[in-house]
Amino acid sequence: MKRTAVVLMLLASLSMGIKAAVRGDVKVLEATDTIRYRINDFTKNYLLYYLFPQKIYLKDRLAEDLRQLDESFRVISVTTEDAKTKSLLAYFAYEKTQLNELLEKRPEKRDLADLILMSETFSEGADTIARRHAYKFSENEKMFMQTRSMRQGMEKILKYYIAETVLTDDPQLPKKLDKSIKRFDEKLGVFNRSIYRDGKVLKARERIDVSWRLAEKYLKKKERKTPLPLVLNVGGEHIESSLNVLGIYYSKTQ
């Protein structure tokens, strides 16, 4: 009898440990999501700031992106015990000093290619951290993570779109833009095949589809009159807002 009680206590303790580990992993995964989103948003906004240095409000957006990056680093740092993750955080902290320096001077074209490369390095590092804290997702968790991935994807698409306009001598940018568009389209297909009975969620899904189809036409145009057409900027905001609605739906049904 005593042995059974001890076994039950051990199992309960193990279960609590697993749940605590999963909670920690969730925090880390959420933070890596923020890192990807914010570094792409920072790069997109900095490209716009280079083109329109008179738009001072962009500096506030850039500063907020950096603040959110710092917060994400902090969350991961106090949550993880993984040595590889900690070494990546040290690298992130070092690289972020260069982002801070960009805001202390006037934007220059010579910094843009390095910034785009840095944004990709940050995203790849966040991917590595996420893999080291992955666990078996439920179907709803997978769909929730997909909405977050698509938000990041939208920022990445806009980043490459503007960069392609500015850095016309980089032959890789059109390829990266095209690849990002295809990935977004594939992920959207998953949601378009899903059935929703919640009217608000269904409307959000339809809004994403309509906004994306319109944005896609502009993304694939060969001739461009502006670095970021209003229809693309507003469409991107509509898509991200609607993805948040889908994300909330899946987070509540987990």
Side-chain angles (χ1 to χ4, degrees), residues 7-252:
V7 170
L8 289 173
M9 288 175 64
L10 286 172
L11 288 173
S13 175
L14 178 61
S15 176
M16 290 176 65
I18 291 172
K19 288 179 180 178
V22 170
R23 282 196 299 273
D25 289 333
V26 169
K27 286 184 179 180
V28 171
L29 291 173
E30 288 176 348
T32 59
D33 171 79
T34 300
I35 290 171
R36 296 186 202 93
Y37 182 86
R38 289 294 174 175
I39 192 61
N40 282 306
D41 191 62
F42 180 92
T43 307
K44 178 197 74 176
N45 287 329
Y46 193 83
L47 286 163
L48 289 173
Y49 186 45
Y50 164 76
L51 290 166
F52 309 106
Q54 73 277 12
K55 296 186 181 296
I56 303 300
Y57 71 89
L58 286 169
K59 285 197 75 173
D60 293 333
R61 293 186 181 181
L62 290 164
E64 177 61 15
D65 284 328
L66 294 185
R67 191 190 72 78
Q68 291 287 346
L69 282 175
D70 272 335
E71 176 60 18
S72 299
F73 299 161
R74 187 195 66 79
V75 168
I76 296 173
S77 179
V78 300
T79 306
T80 189
E81 296 295 333
D82 181 66
K84 176 70 173 179
T85 296
K86 288 184 177 294
S87 67
L88 280 168
L89 286 176
Y91 170 76
F92 283 160
Y94 169 76
E95 289 291 290
K96 187 181 163 293
T97 60
Q98 297 183 57
L99 300 180
N100 290 331
E101 290 172 3
L102 287 177
L103 292 192
E104 295 173 1
K105 63 177 185 177
R106 188 176 181 85
E108 297 181 55
K109 188 173 182 178
R110 66 183 181 182
D111 294 324
L112 301 181
D114 286 342
L115 175 58
I116 291 169
L117 179 60
M118 194 184 303
S119 74
E120 293 170 351
T121 303
F122 265 71
S123 293
E124 289 168 6
D127 288 344
T128 298
I129 292 174
R131 285 194 296 271
R132 297 182 75 84
H133 294 80
Y135 61 94
K136 187 174 177 58
F137 293 146
S138 68
E139 287 305 310
N140 283 328
E141 282 177 318
K142 287 179 184 177
M143 295 295 277
F144 171 76
M145 297 300 287
Q146 195 82 300
T147 65
R148 313 312 290 175
S149 177
M150 289 174 71
R151 284 180 72 243
Q152 302 155 21
M154 196 68 239
E155 290 299 308
K156 184 182 289 187
I157 286 167
L158 296 177
K159 174 188 75 175
Y160 285 140
Y161 182 88
I162 302 168
E164 188 182 4
T165 303
V166 180
L167 302 173
T168 55
D169 57 343
D170 187 342
Q172 294 303 312
L173 287 172
K175 296 177 183 178
K176 290 176 179 179
L177 175 61
D178 186 56
K179 187 175 181 180
S180 297
I181 292 171
K182 286 179 180 177
R183 282 184 177 174
F184 190 95
D185 212 32
E186 289 168 359
K187 291 174 182 178
L188 179 57
V190 175
F191 290 98
N192 284 342
R193 291 190 293 273
S194 300
I195 297 173
Y196 300 103
R197 293 181 175 81
D198 185 309
K200 183 179 180 180
V201 176
L202 179 59
K203 186 176 180 180
R205 197 274 308 277
E206 291 173 346
R207 191 180 188 188
I208 294 170
D209 197 54
V210 171
S211 297
W212 172 245
R213 298 309 164 198
L214 181 60
E216 202 172 16
K217 291 179 181 179
Y218 280 82
L219 289 166
K220 293 182 176 180
K221 276 185 177 180
K222 298 300 180 184
E223 295 182 7
R224 300 178 183 179
K225 295 181 180 179
T226 63
L228 185 61
L230 182 62
V231 69
L232 266 184
N233 194 25
V234 174
E237 291 176 359
H238 285 174
I239 289 169
E240 291 184 23
S241 175
S242 297
L243 283 168
N244 284 336
V245 174
L246 283 178
I248 291 170
Y249 167 77
Y250 283 109
S251 67
K252 287 181 176 180

